[in-house]
Amino acid sequence: MSWITVDDYRHPGGWTAADPSARARQYCESLEGGGILFFPAIPFEFPESDRAFLLSQKQSGFRHHKNVSYRPKSNLLRGASNDDPEDTKRLTELMRNYSNQVTRFIDQFLSPYAGQWAIDYASFRPLEEQGRDLPVHKRNDLAHVDAFPSRPTNGGRILRVFTNINPTVNRVWEVTEPFSVIAPKFANDAGLDRFAKDANSPLRPLRRGIAPLVRAVGLPDRSPYDRFMLRFHDWLKENNEFQTSWTKQRLEFPPFSTWLVYTDTVPHAVLSGRFALEQTYIVPVNAMVVPQKSPLKVLESMCGTSLSN
Ligand code: SIN
Ligand code: FE
């Protein structure tokens, strides 16, 4: 895993680099191959008063002990308690502002993708990650690549921006080799052939035909790629050999640091820490600087079949 510390891009002020567009391309290339871009300081505007407000929120105020999610497109907040409508209103505004600021930053910093990504959900993660009692497929302390059941990407990449807003405690991750290394080892055992066969099935044109209908009634229209990635997410978490034999690298994200990562590419586990913010973007494969490193292309070259819709 390549770790790149970016310390010449700051908020406010932006770049101090001589040639930001060449640097941006290099950064996209590194991210796409499974690198992590690390910022020692928050590289976008984030008011101290917002941080204080988030830290003051009571853990019991979060429904079912879940993360709080925010949907930028509909300005909808989920997972916060409704006990105090004023707090909910403030939290919604805070998340909207946070989401806008991260987006401004990403648009400028990762300029090769500008205008091509689609914004996905943001989240506030107020719970201690160590020792959470969750069912196996929901456990984030087991290494996995991300795939969202409700939001198929059809090959689009999952780019995430995390910020540790805990003033004193690091957020601790473990990561392993990128998708292009683990897929050849494990994708066939996870059933890639079955999904490839499905992709070639005579029923596929029919599926494509009814896709607009599926979307119209609000169901996820999953391509063979999406179905495989969901399976792979679960399979990796279930698989003892992968969980115990993978070459782990421990990463510590200090207070106020920010990191960018394609979480569909870098298998990751969060071991400890509480209070993080995160914003997700879906970046289409044709916006990639190195498309052949995308999980879609890696899988397609393994099975020789088109897996997107
Ligand atoms: C995850 O995407 O698995 C969780 C990462 C985190 O909350 O730090
Ligand atoms: Fe994850």
Side-chain angles (χ1 to χ4, degrees), residues 236-268:
L236 289 173
K237 285 186 178 177
E238 287 162 13
N239 190 272
N240 207 36
E241 187 203 333
F242 174 68
Q243 293 298 331
T244 53
S245 68
W246 53 302
T247 322
K248 295 169 189 141
Q249 207 173 335
R250 186 183 166 96
L251 304 177
E252 302 250 354
F253 301 104
F256 312 125
S257 62
T258 292
W259 60 106
L260 273 55
V261 56
Y262 274 112
T263 55
D264 53 9
T265 303
V266 180
H268 55 284

Side-chain angles (χ1 to χ4, degrees), residues 83-102:
D83 294 351
D84 185 343
E86 276 307 307
D87 270 9
T88 306
K89 192 166 158 251
R90 165 121 199 238
L91 194 52
T92 308
E93 273 164 21
L94 185 161
M95 291 304 287
R96 183 174 54 215
N97 185 48
Y98 158 73
S99 173
N100 286 339
Q101 292 299 334
V102 180

Side-chain angles (χ1 to χ4, degrees), residues 44 78 104 112 244 272 298:
F44 49 85
R78 288 279 156 84
R104 276 173 64 173
T244 53
S272 65
V298 169

